[in-house]
Amino acid sequence: MRNNRLNLLNPYIGKWKTEGLTKSGDVITGTDTYTWVDGGFFLTHQVDVVFRDKVVRSLEITHYDDMEDVFRSQSFDNEGNISISTLKIYDDIILIFADRERFKGNFKANTIEGTWEQFDGKNWVPWMDIKLTKMPL
C-alpha cells in the first residue's frame, strides 16, 4: 500500500530551470526533472547542469522510509559517483542530509530556493545558493 507521505513529493513533478552560484563565483545553469515511476512509490530526479564549464548529469531515486519517517535517495552521476541522502519536508521547508553535503531550502509556489553546504572534514561550509523555477508544461 502506498504511503500518503509520498504525496509531499507531488509538487516537485515536472521540469525545472536550475540556476545557482557557488561561493567561489561559479555559475550553475541547467534543468532538474522530477517524475514518478509507474505505481507512484518511487520518484526519479534527473539533473542536467553545467557547472565550472563541466556537464553534470545524475539520476536520483527517492522513496519513503516508513521505519524512520523520512525520504531516502540514492543518486548516480556521470562520473561514477554514488550519493545516499535523507530528505525531510516540513511545510515549505526542505532539508537534505548526506555524508559530505547538506541542503536547506524553501518550496514556494513554483520555486525552490536554498543553500547547499559541504563538510570540509571539520565544519560545514557554504557551497552554493540554488534556485529552481518550475517550467510551464
Side-chain angles (χ1 to χ4, degrees):
M1 176 175 266
R2 188 173 188 271
N3 188 301
N4 286 335
R5 302 278 294 161
L6 286 163
N7 292 333
L8 291 172
L9 300 177
N10 282 334
Y12 296 86
I13 301 302
K15 189 169 188 173
W16 300 74
K17 178 182 175 185
T18 305
E19 303 170 282
L21 186 64
T22 67
K23 297 304 177 184
S24 60
D26 297 312
V27 174
I28 302 156
T29 59
T31 59
D32 283 61
T33 305
Y34 295 86
T35 58
W36 285 113
V37 173
D38 287 345
F41 292 94
F42 302 98
L43 182 77
T44 66
H45 173 204
Q46 291 184 311
V47 176
D48 188 357
V49 297
V50 176
F51 172 53
R52 289 190 195 132
D53 298 325
K54 179 172 77 170
V55 173
V56 177
R57 292 194 175 106
S58 68
L59 172 64
E60 179 180 58
I61 306 292
T62 301
H63 72 282
Y64 183 71
D65 181 338
D66 289 317
M67 298 289 286
E68 298 291 328
D69 191 28
V70 295
F71 295 95
R72 304 276 187 206
S73 290
Q74 195 161 359
S75 178
F76 310 88
D77 75 14
N78 59 326
E79 292 188 343
N81 298 307
I82 298 172
S83 174
I84 298 171
S85 58
T86 299
L87 292 81
K88 296 181 180 183
I89 300 172
Y90 303 103
D91 299 318
D92 70 336
I93 299 170
I94 307 156
L95 303 172
I96 303 172
F97 307 93
D99 290 340
R100 293 179 304 247
E101 299 173 354
R102 69 182 183 185
F103 175 80
K104 181 178 181 185
N106 294 91
F107 188 97
K108 295 180 180 164
N110 292 315
T111 62
I112 299 170
E113 293 185 64
T115 301
W116 281 98
E117 296 177 319
Q118 288 183 319
F119 191 68
D120 69 2
K122 281 187 163 186
N123 302 298
W124 287 100
V125 179
W127 177 31
M128 73 174 84
D129 293 320
I130 199 93
K131 179 179 181 181
L132 279 65
T133 306
K134 200 168 206 178
M135 300 168 70
L137 296 177

